[in-house]
Amino acid sequence: MRVGVLTGGGDCPGLNAVIRAIVRKGVPEYGYSFLGFRDGWRGPLEALTRPLDIPAVRGLLPRGGTILGSSRTNPFAVEGGVEKIRRNLQNLGVDALIAIGGEDTLGVATKLHEMGVNVVGVPKTIDNDLNGTDYTFGFDTAVNIATEAIDRLHTTAESHHRALIVEVMGRHAGWIALHSGMAGGANAILIPEVRFDLDQVCQWVESRFQLDYAPIIVVAEGAMPKEGEEVLLTGEKDAFGHVRLGGIGDWLAHRIEERTGKEARTTVLGHVQRGGTPTARDRWLATRFGLHAIDAVHEGKWGQMTALRGTDIITVPLAEATKELKVVDPALYAEAEVFFG
């Protein structure tokens, strides 16, 4: 059997560990050959490939990014895209695909499976917002990077008596903000799931200064005030219809200065959260996902995605994983609020 492998959407620490595990088990144990598709769904769409064998995956475990490249290509937004993928898979002798990605990449995989393409999914996103799995790889690395940044910003905030806003990724789900904010001792955490009250945030800022400490506020890029202002950097949309977000941190800093008279600055972590070496936990999880993904191919579990439940790796239907996002439970967020102020 010849198996195609692709990585789509935003890059993520641990992608190379998945690729490595798939090949290192699939070649000696099952006798499969592998073909890497470059740049996400653009690979099978345009027949952009590179060979994947054991020498090609050596040394990948600690390496960030993806050797296959990535993109936000949506074949369903391309005229005749699905037929091009079918034709290219047939011409290249590819019997099955392993798609490694988040909601958009696996959403495409779900539709292709429904059209008869043999697909297995692996859940990847730093946002941890995919249904069906307790955690996605990449999340732990992103949280650790954000937490370290918050730790560093505490000292400079104290030195200059400023309020510092840390803007982290999270369009619809506040998992990174919640975990890093609690771990880093933030004085407020603002997430997309719960619209925030600007007056309350300013009260937290002022109470912190009254105690002779400088406040740290962690805000997810998709967080919104109760007033309902749309804080968008641009109206441009990607191939999946997502508007690029940005600016909530600066917006918040200006309002805090206006209302409290205290100096406020913003640090936008952006793609720093995606880059570099994956943590040990992400390497472990990515490797296990890869090993179970090639098992799923061998067992013909098409339309399934590997998932972490407790400490077990299972498979769940792609349709279940992509039907809706996994967001922060307001009750869990409420636990963090006891530390605010």
Side-chain angles (χ1 to χ4, degrees), residues 10 49 79 84 91 111 161 205 231 248 250 295 324 327 331:
T49 66
E79 185 176 353
K84 288 179 181 177
N91 291 342
K111 293 179 182 177
H161 312 292
V205 169
V231 187
I248 183 62
D250 283 335
D295 287 343
E324 60 183 1
V327 296

Side-chain angles (χ1 to χ4, degrees), residues 261-286:
K262 302 295 186 180
E263 185 179 3
R265 299 288 182 87
T266 302
T267 298
V268 181
L269 294 186
H271 289 80
V272 170
Q273 296 156 93
R274 292 190 180 279
T277 300
T279 60
R281 178 174 175 80
D282 276 340
R283 298 185 203 189
W284 168 84
L285 183 56

Side-chain angles (χ1 to χ4, degrees), residues 178 182 186 189 331-340:
L178 182 63
M182 290 187 71
I189 302 168
L332 181 61
Y333 178 70
E335 290 181 6
E337 287 190 294
V338 301
F339 294 103
F340 294 174

